[in-house]
């Protein structure tokens, strides 16, 4: 289960990076902001999973 959540966080970060790059490429500030938000959400999710791992051991 934890592996699934970690991969979901990584996927969210990657999707955010793509969105941000696409927004920057076409000059769409909203798309760029959505990309940064998705990356932040993925970062938060990844941090949560890492914290869980620390407390498991």
């Amino acid at each position: 289960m934890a592996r699934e959540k970690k991969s979901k966080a990584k996927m969210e970060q990657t999707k955010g990076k793509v969105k941000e790059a696409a927004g920057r490429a076409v000059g769409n500030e909203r798309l760029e902001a959505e990309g940064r938000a998705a990356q932040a959400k993925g970062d938060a999710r990844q941090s949560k999973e890492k914290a869980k791992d620390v407390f498991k051991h």
Side-chain angles (χ1 to χ4, degrees), residues 2-3 6 46-57:
R3 186 173 296 149
K6 286 179 185 179
Q46 187 176 33
S47 295
K48 182 178 102 177
E49 292 303 317
K50 284 184 178 181
K52 283 183 185 177
D53 287 344
V54 168
F55 291 111
K56 281 184 182 178
H57 294 58

Side-chain angles (χ1 to χ4, degrees), residues 19-29 31-32:
K19 257 187 171 179
E20 184 180 7
R24 192 176 303 130
V26 296
N28 186 334
E29 290 180 16
L31 186 61
E32 195 174 338

Side-chain angles (χ1 to χ4, degrees), residues 3-43:
R3 186 173 296 149
E4 182 180 307
K5 289 183 180 183
K6 286 179 185 179
S7 66
K8 189 173 181 179
K10 207 56 149 159
M11 187 172 57
E12 187 112 36
Q13 290 170 330
T14 303
K15 188 168 75 171
K17 286 179 185 180
V18 170
K19 257 187 171 179
E20 184 180 7
R24 192 176 303 130
V26 296
N28 186 334
E29 290 180 16
R30 181 175 177 215
L31 186 61
E32 195 174 338
E34 286 177 7
R36 282 192 300 269
Q39 284 183 61
K41 187 176 177 183
D43 290 343

